[in-house]
Amino acid sequence: MSLKGKTAVITGSNSGIGLGIARELAKTGAHVVLNSFTDRDEDHALADEIAKETGVTARYIKADMSKGDECRDLIAQAGACDVLINNAGVQNVDPIENFPVEKWDAIIAINMSSAFHTTAAALPVMRASGWGRVINIASAHGLTASPFKSAYVAAKHGVVGMTKVVALETAEEPITANAICPGYVLTPLVETQIPDTMKEYDMDRETVIRDVLLARQPSKEFATVEQLGGTCAFLCSDAAAQITGTTISVDGGWTAL
Ligand code: NAD
């Protein structure tokens, strides 16, 4: 499949899943816009590296996804947006009665409200070009829950709900909106949870991965960023033109349990 000439904007894409998706979409010919709130030399270097490897135009644009106006400005600065991947996300784990209010607000803003703002800004651009794909990176936690992740589970369920609304509002147009629900993927977001869990349960790394992180992932394997990039590419293909308003789980069987 080819996305030659199309532009994909991927929020939160200087690391992990977002970066993996950007690399896979660039391989199919899409120009890519990388984003984070950091604006470091390394962020721009990642875009340069993708451009060099694939021959597409790759740019880095700084925007803080916790701020609605910056979300909208990201789309304006991108200039084109045929494929919007709402991927930026953060996590915090605490019982609800101790859950820090500022963490709740940040998770709801970055993991959910950012997708509202970018989608609102991107749909007119997609309509003007006559084609579009909105792909929200939700989570198995957009379909199921775990204790101590109130904000994350609420935000991801919200993203799944908003995906359905966007699909209905664009149903008669050549635009689709879907959510991908990954199980565990070994990215910095997950890697940082391993040392604390090793300490908490007095376990070695392998046991934490198998018995704690992958306890609910029947395949006992992490999904990979390349597989998520491939799923995005599929949702951009003609084969997926009638897939809209739904979720695709990439979770090793988690939600079959
Ligand atoms: P990660 O920590 O590697 O990447 C998170 C990305 O979000 C980074 O690029 C970071 O710069 C960006 N980001 C964070 N705050 C931001 C802000 N305020 N403004 C702009 N960008 C910001 O994590 P990841 O595992 O690659 O997660 C990516 C997405 O996938 C998240 O939405 C996450 O919830 C979801 N997800 C991850 C897993 C997993 O197991 N890793 C599973 C299911 C869903």
Side-chain angles (χ1 to χ4, degrees):
M1 81 142 286
S2 170
L3 286 174
K4 211 165 185 301
K6 305 267 193 239
T7 297
V9 179
I10 305 111
T11 71
S13 44
N14 65 344
S15 131
I17 293 171
L19 180 57
I21 292 171
R23 287 190 196 283
E24 292 301 312
L25 295 184
K27 279 191 211 160
T28 72
H31 304 306
V32 293
V33 173
L34 301 188
N35 154 262
S36 70
F37 63 96
T38 44
D39 204 14
R40 301 165 307 177
D41 288 347
E42 301 95 280
D43 299 326
H44 293 270
L46 282 171
D48 294 344
E49 186 189 307
I50 291 175
K52 214 166 145 191
E53 279 170 5
T54 59
V56 303
T57 303
R59 286 178 292 155
Y60 170 86
I61 300 177
K62 175 191 186 241
D64 184 343
M65 291 296 108
S66 69
K67 302 192 168 87
D69 53 347
E70 293 195 26
C71 296
R72 289 169 189 258
D73 199 45
L74 169 65
I75 305 301
Q77 281 193 55
C81 183
D82 304 292
V83 179
L84 171 63
I85 313 277
N86 287 308
N87 168 77
V90 291
Q91 176 62 290
N92 183 71
V93 180
D94 268 311
I96 198 160
E97 66 273 27
N98 300 332
F99 208 94
V101 173
E102 66 280 7
K103 296 274 187 195
W104 170 275
D105 289 342
I107 291 171
I108 296 297
I110 297 166
N111 296 20
M112 185 180 77
S113 301
S114 68
F116 158 67
H117 292 292
T118 54
T119 304
L123 283 182
V125 181
M126 292 176 179
R127 285 182 174 127
S129 76
W131 188 90
R133 295 284 181 267
V134 178
I135 302 174
N136 295 324
I137 306 304
S139 168
H141 281 118
L143 304 169
T144 65
S146 294
F148 315 126
K149 296 184 175 176
S150 53
Y152 189 86
V153 170
K156 295 298 187 182
H157 275 69
V159 163
V160 169
M162 185 167 50
T163 304
K164 295 178 190 176
V165 174
V166 175
L168 293 178
E169 292 187 14
T170 56
E172 293 187 31
E173 302 171 77
I175 296 172
T176 66
N178 293 288
I180 297 177
C181 294
Y184 272 106
V185 186
L186 193 55
T187 65
L189 185 130
V190 168
E191 188 64 53
T192 54
Q193 299 175 31
I194 295 177
D196 285 349
T197 316
M198 286 169 66
K199 247 190 258 163
E200 191 182 337
Y201 294 104
D202 192 21
M203 286 175 174
D204 62 24
R205 183 182 163 86
E206 291 317 307
T207 312
V208 163
I209 288 176
R210 190 179 166 84
D211 295 347
V212 182
L213 294 183
L214 298 180
R216 290 171 73 181
Q217 200 145 311
S219 67
K220 298 295 172 199
E221 282 185 32
F222 288 107
T224 68
V225 301
E226 291 79 11
Q227 289 161 353
L228 292 165
T231 308
C232 288
F234 165 67
L235 285 172
C236 292
S237 72
D238 288 343
Q242 285 299 314
I243 298 177
T244 194
T246 193
T247 58
I248 297 191
S249 291
V250 184
D251 66 2
W254 178 329
T255 43
L257 277 176

